Amino acid sequence: MSAKSYIFKHLWLQVIISLIIGLGVGLIFGDEVGIGLDDDTLDKMSTYLKIPANIFLSVILMIIVPLIFASIVVAITNLGGKEKLKTLGLGIGVYFVITTTISILIAITLASIIAPGSILDLTALQKTHDLSEADLQVTEGFSLDDIPGAVSNIIPRNPILSYLEGQMFSILIMAVIVGLSMAALPRDSVKSLLDLLESIQKITLYILLMAMKIVPFAVFGLIVGMVAKVGVETMAGLGVYMVTVVLGLGAMLLVYAMIIKLVAKRPISSTFSKFRNPQTLAFSTASSMATMPMTLKTAEEDLKLDTRVSKFVIPLGTTVNMDGTALYQVIAVFFLAQLFAIELSMLSILVIIVTSLLASIGTPAVPGAGTIVLSTILITVGIPPVGILLLLSVDRILDMIRTMVNVTGDLTASCAFDQITRDKS
Ligand code: ASP
């Protein structure tokens, strides 16, 4: 195979090439080593450079609601044996909570030992980001009052509204209820809807696979804008914080390796090497949702998992299982608490564990969502949410890495449950 056709066949290679070219072009436009374009010109240029990324994101958002709904309903209906449905349904819930809790504990340990926020000088940051004293006011955090409301609203009263507003969690609950009901009814009476949903699933998957062709261009545009505008120096200022997050994400990959070996009973290196395509796509798009078609394809074609398992675990995991996001959010909370010299009590730490677990479940699997949801956790603990501004300059790169971990977590879960449910019919 010639080098050219090799590159055309491998998305990960195209992405790496785009990253390198983007980095170079970004440096040329920036003022550290390059020609130093002014902010206005850079802003204008960024809006154009971001066009491929925006188009790609729009395609995902256009397609994702019907895709998730159809995938989950079809998966549950096809699960067949009641025993298998029970093991999968209950088991996967417990599994997701356990792995996310492990990632949160890793985050707490690392953030406490490394203490990335104690190293930085708040007043210098305050100046570069133009923040006033009022912005940094520490507020009263944590109230139990919101819990009843949140629990009562779990079932969507108006599913059409949930669809229109793209509330993924409500759509998920609705899909599970419809799927369970369809599984309980005789096949004949649900067949026509099942066929329709299967077609929807195939069509939406096809559209997404087509849209992936623009991913390398999207990566290029984003990287050029980031490097030229933010500059390598500012990014390096937050280096210790970034290293802490990356170390934590690396530790989580080790946990997955152990699950693959001990629970899924598969060889670690050859299984991990099959994860490469979805991992690259997750890294490039920073969206587990956009990666989902590729994740499903890998699970079925490369890992040869039982499709009844993969079609259930992957769409569900994409929406609710985000270990990388939870880990990042906890380190960010600790980082900002240390930066603002806020003492975290045992109760606050407990609250952080619970809210970040829930927050990672509720975070939409699209770029940057983890950072937006982070503000909820900060408010709950009483840390000024404006602190997020400090993290934004390096967020994209961390988002790319944590999304890769999120997707690896979903694939690992599918491998584990393929093994666990193997003997159940
Ligand atoms: N981008 C992440 C994902 O899609 C979510 C996040 O922002 O953490 O998995």
Side-chain angles (χ1 to χ4, degrees):
M1 195 188 305
S2 72
K4 200 170 138 199
S5 57
Y6 188 81
I7 293 173
F8 270 110
K9 258 194 92 184
H10 292 87
L11 185 73
W12 65 270
L13 205 54
Q14 296 168 25
V15 167
I16 290 181
I17 294 173
S18 305
L19 262 176
I20 297 172
I21 302 178
L23 198 74
V25 176
L27 283 174
I28 293 174
F29 289 152
D31 56 6
E32 280 161 343
V33 287
I35 52 176
L37 291 180
D38 62 86
D39 273 359
D40 257 4
T41 322
L42 278 178
D43 277 341
K44 270 202 200 105
M45 214 178 62
S46 299
T47 46
Y48 280 95
L49 284 169
K50 275 194 188 148
I51 290 176
N54 288 339
I55 291 181
F56 185 70
L57 195 63
S58 305
V59 176
I60 303 169
L61 294 177
M62 172 178 92
I63 240 63
I64 210 66
V65 172
L67 174 58
I68 289 273
F69 184 80
S71 302
I72 291 184
V73 173
V74 170
I76 298 182
T77 316
N78 284 340
L79 264 177
K82 276 225 168 73
E83 199 47 40
K84 191 147 189 151
L85 193 61
K86 240 198 218 150
T87 319
L88 247 188
L90 276 180
I92 202 73
V94 175
Y95 174 95
F96 284 162
V97 170
I98 294 177
T99 47
T100 309
T101 310
I102 294 176
S103 77
I104 292 173
L105 294 179
I106 292 177
I108 294 180
T109 315
L110 280 176
S112 312
I113 297 175
I114 303 178
S118 323
I119 302 164
L120 279 181
D121 175 17
L122 182 60
T123 34
L125 276 175
Q126 206 175 329
K127 263 204 205 107
T128 46
H129 287 79
D130 221 2
L131 302 179
S132 68
E133 285 302 322
D135 286 334
L136 302 177
Q137 200 73 42
V138 176
T139 51
E140 194 65 36
F142 185 44
S143 139
L144 289 170
D145 296 349
D146 298 336
I147 294 178
V151 175
S152 331
N153 287 332
I154 262 185
I155 308 262
R157 285 193 185 173
N158 186 342
I160 309 273
L161 199 66
S162 305
Y163 260 71
L164 293 180
E165 291 182 353
Q167 298 162 355
M168 292 316 294
F169 196 65
S170 306
I171 292 163
L172 199 79
I173 300 276
M174 161 106 172
V176 171
I177 295 175
V178 172
L180 287 175
S181 314
M182 280 170 68
L185 289 167
R187 242 325 135 101
D188 280 355
S189 55
V190 297
K191 192 172 175 318
S192 45
L193 181 57
L194 195 61
D195 287 346
L196 179 70
L197 290 173
E198 270 169 351
S199 303
I200 291 180
Q201 201 182 12
K202 285 192 187 123
I203 297 164
T204 45
L205 275 175
Y206 183 79
I207 296 176
L208 274 176
L209 286 172
M210 286 294 103
M212 261 164 222
K213 298 213 176 345
I214 54 175
V215 165
F217 300 99
V219 172
F220 171 79
L222 289 173
I223 287 289
V224 173
M226 190 169 87
V227 175
K229 264 194 90 178
V230 179
V232 182
E233 212 176 297
T234 319
M235 286 166 68
L238 291 167
V240 183
Y241 155 71
M242 289 170 78
V243 168
T244 316
V245 177
V246 173
L247 274 181
L249 293 173
M252 208 48 216
L253 290 180
L254 289 181
V255 173
Y256 294 146
M258 268 160 56
I259 296 176
I260 292 203
K261 180 92 201 148
L262 303 175
V263 185
K265 304 212 177 358
R266 285 170 179 255
I268 297 175
S269 65
S270 63
T271 312
F272 257 70
S273 70
K274 290 184 181 132
F275 290 179
R276 194 168 58 189
N277 276 335
Q279 280 174 336
T280 314
L281 195 61
F283 183 80
S284 338
T285 58
S287 166
S288 330
M289 202 74 100
T291 313
M292 200 182 91
M294 178 74 93
T295 319
L296 265 175
K297 197 164 162 254
T298 303
E300 284 159 21
E301 289 172 17
D302 302 330
L303 296 160
K304 309 254 178 301
L305 302 183
D306 180 345
T307 54
R308 293 175 302 174
V309 173
S310 59
K311 282 209 164 74
F312 179 66
V313 176
I314 302 241
L316 188 71
T318 302
T319 329
V320 301
N321 180 42
M322 294 191 195
D323 302 338
T325 299
L327 185 137
Y328 146 80
Q329 285 169 336
V330 172
I331 293 183
V333 171
F334 270 69
F335 171 76
L336 292 175
Q338 290 158 358
L339 191 66
F340 294 134
I342 298 169
E343 196 68 48
L344 293 174
S345 62
M346 262 335 263
L347 177 69
S348 309
I349 295 182
L350 211 67
V351 172
I352 294 175
I353 295 179
V354 177
T355 38
S356 51
L357 185 69
L358 294 175
S360 73
I361 292 174
T363 302
V366 295
T371 313
I372 296 164
V373 175
L374 174 65
S375 59
T376 330
I377 311 178
L378 293 177
I379 295 168
T380 319
V381 196
I383 299 172
V386 74
I388 288 182
L389 287 182
L390 309 175
L391 309 178
L392 279 185
S393 53
V394 292
D395 191 59
R396 181 72 193 194
I397 189 85
L398 291 181
D399 195 5
M400 291 160 98
I401 307 175
R402 66 180 184 254
T403 307
M404 202 175 88
V405 171
N406 289 343
V407 168
T408 310
D410 299 334
L411 281 165
T412 306
S414 312
C415 291
F417 278 86
D418 179 69
Q419 175 67 28
I420 293 170
T421 56
R422 182 147 293 179
D423 308 322
K424 309 232 162 51
S425 56

